[in-house]
Amino acid sequence: MSVAADALQPLLVKELLVLRGRAAFGHFSEIITNAPGAGYDIDFDEATNQIRIDFRESAFLGAAIGSDASRFAGAAFSSFKGLDVHLDDASSLAWGLVRAYYSAFYAGHALIRLLGRTCTQIESSHLNRIKNIANALGKPVNSSVSAGLFVCELNPTQTGFEMRQARGRVGGAHEAFWEVFDGFVSEITEDVLRGRIAPADARAVFLKLDSFRKITKRASGASWLSTVRNEIQYRHARGVWAPSVLKRRERGVLSRTAAQWKRDPMTMDIDGPPGGDIGAYVMACTFLTALCREVLRRVADRSSAGVNSFARFPLRLCD
């Protein structure tokens, strides 16, 4: 097993280690409007516009996290499967690179959920429910809080979460997500260094994650992957559309990089990947998808649910 999974295991949402089968919730945000029982407690911090929700128990909150993580991981793995073949073929190279991005985007969403945080679209219906409960409790929420992308972070007891609006420096939801993800990776690397694994292993994981961050921060902010994907998908840039300027040998480098997605991410040469910018782009996407897979495997292996662990379902897509 990967030392990366060893390093991140203490950060896992505990309820995921007992979650069986397919979780009931389709999206994490549904617990706001469809929570079981009478409701939940709410607190609002006017200084920071942060909303704190507490359900006083962790089981169904874990189920909601698990459902989201399973859905995103499944999307990541199914998108990456067979990608090496597409990157080797000039006629499918461009869409292969777009697929690589979305695999990483989905894997990032899955990974932060496994470790206790989400980046979730909150609609007006969710906010109206929150505001109605808050008013009933005499804790009104500021009317300036509006629908959009929110960061939701589980509290220490994992019975509730704190939510705040996510805003990137530029761009839309994808750019905002990568800003959130970069901050999250920065936090967990510090946790890794303070963790219980051997110092040499902790430093190795720290350096891998830091190298990943350096790729994603090649441009302003932390959304370089999204920038490259936009250039390829919408501007037909980077010379990857037919007739592609990438030679067969260069495509072969990208293909071999993508073929590593089921390997231990700690074995990947993410510090100096071959292939220039496009090579670094594919390496970062491959690394993140592989890291998500390793952490999900750790959940499945440590689960008291055994073969019925929720984590087994998306992992089947890796076979």
Side-chain angles (χ1 to χ4, degrees):
M1 292 293 288
S2 175
V3 69
D6 293 339
L8 298 178
Q9 181 175 322
L11 306 177
L12 290 172
V13 176
K14 296 179 179 60
E15 286 292 334
L16 298 182
L17 299 176
V18 299
L19 187 61
R20 303 174 66 89
R22 296 183 183 275
F25 288 94
H27 297 270
F28 181 79
S29 57
E30 291 179 14
I31 63 174
I32 293 173
T33 51
N34 300 329
Y40 41 82
D41 190 33
I42 288 179
D43 194 17
F44 177 68
D45 187 332
E46 292 187 8
T48 60
N49 271 4
Q50 293 178 337
I51 302 169
R52 299 185 186 92
I53 295 177
D54 200 333
F55 300 94
R56 305 304 184 192
E57 67 101 358
S58 58
F60 76 91
L61 186 58
I65 287 278
S67 179
D68 253 19
S70 179
R71 176 168 50 84
F72 276 112
F77 301 152
S78 61
S79 297
F80 218 95
K81 194 169 186 178
L83 187 61
D84 55 322
V85 176
H86 290 281
L87 295 182
D88 199 33
D89 185 346
S91 65
S92 58
L93 171 63
W95 275 115
L97 291 170
V98 173
R99 276 179 54 188
Y101 169 81
Y102 279 104
S103 296
F105 179 71
Y106 297 144
H109 270 285
L111 185 61
I112 63 173
R113 282 159 171 77
L114 295 172
L115 302 178
R117 195 171 300 187
T118 81
C119 202
T120 299
Q121 183 69 26
I122 300 297
E123 306 292 351
S124 297
S125 58
H126 304 127
L127 283 180
N128 289 337
R129 171 68 170 166
I130 289 172
K131 290 177 180 179
N132 288 339
I133 293 178
N135 288 334
L137 295 173
K139 304 174 182 178
V141 173
N142 193 317
S143 59
S144 66
V145 178
S146 58
L149 198 65
F150 278 72
V151 180
C152 302
E153 182 175 358
L154 267 60
N155 61 24
T157 59
Q158 299 187 354
T159 59
F161 58 90
E162 178 181 273
M163 55 188 291
R164 64 184 186 278
Q165 288 192 289
R167 294 184 174 88
R169 299 180 190 181
V170 294
H174 281 247
E175 288 73 20
F177 167 75
W178 289 115
E179 290 284 349
V180 170
F181 190 76
D182 178 68
F184 174 74
V185 174
S186 177
E187 289 179 30
I188 64 174
T189 52
E190 296 301 322
D191 290 333
V192 165
L193 289 177
R194 293 191 297 264
R196 300 176 182 176
I197 65 172
D201 289 340
R203 179 161 177 77
V205 175
F206 172 88
L207 291 174
K208 285 293 182 184
L209 292 173
D210 191 57
S211 294
F212 169 81
R213 290 184 68 210
K214 287 177 181 176
I215 293 178
T216 63
K217 294 170 74 70
R218 287 192 170 198
S220 60
S223 57
W224 183 73
L225 296 180
S226 181
T227 297
V228 174
R229 187 265 305 180
N230 283 335
E231 291 174 356
I232 293 170
Q233 186 171 359
Y234 300 117
R235 295 176 56 193
H236 296 178
R238 299 279 178 172
V240 296
W241 290 93
S244 171
V245 300
L246 271 67
K247 305 301 182 186
R248 183 172 184 177
R249 178 185 60 80
E250 295 170 305
R251 297 196 306 272
V253 169
L254 302 180
S255 175
R256 287 189 293 275
T257 297
Q260 300 178 63
W261 76 283
K262 290 192 281 187
R263 283 176 46 183
D264 180 352
M266 296 298 295
T267 65
M268 297 180 186
D269 184 16
I270 194 170
D271 293 298
D277 274 359
I278 294 298
Y281 169 91
V282 173
M283 176 57 78
C285 294
T286 304
F287 174 83
L288 185 51
T289 306
L291 180 61
C292 174
R293 176 177 173 271
E294 283 298 319
V295 174
L296 197 62
R297 284 182 63 203
R298 177 55 55 90
V299 173
D301 290 344
R302 295 292 187 271
S303 174
S304 62
V307 296
N308 294 315
S309 168
F310 84 98
R312 299 286 181 187
F313 292 93
L315 286 172
R316 290 172 185 169
L317 296 169
C318 301
D319 296 336

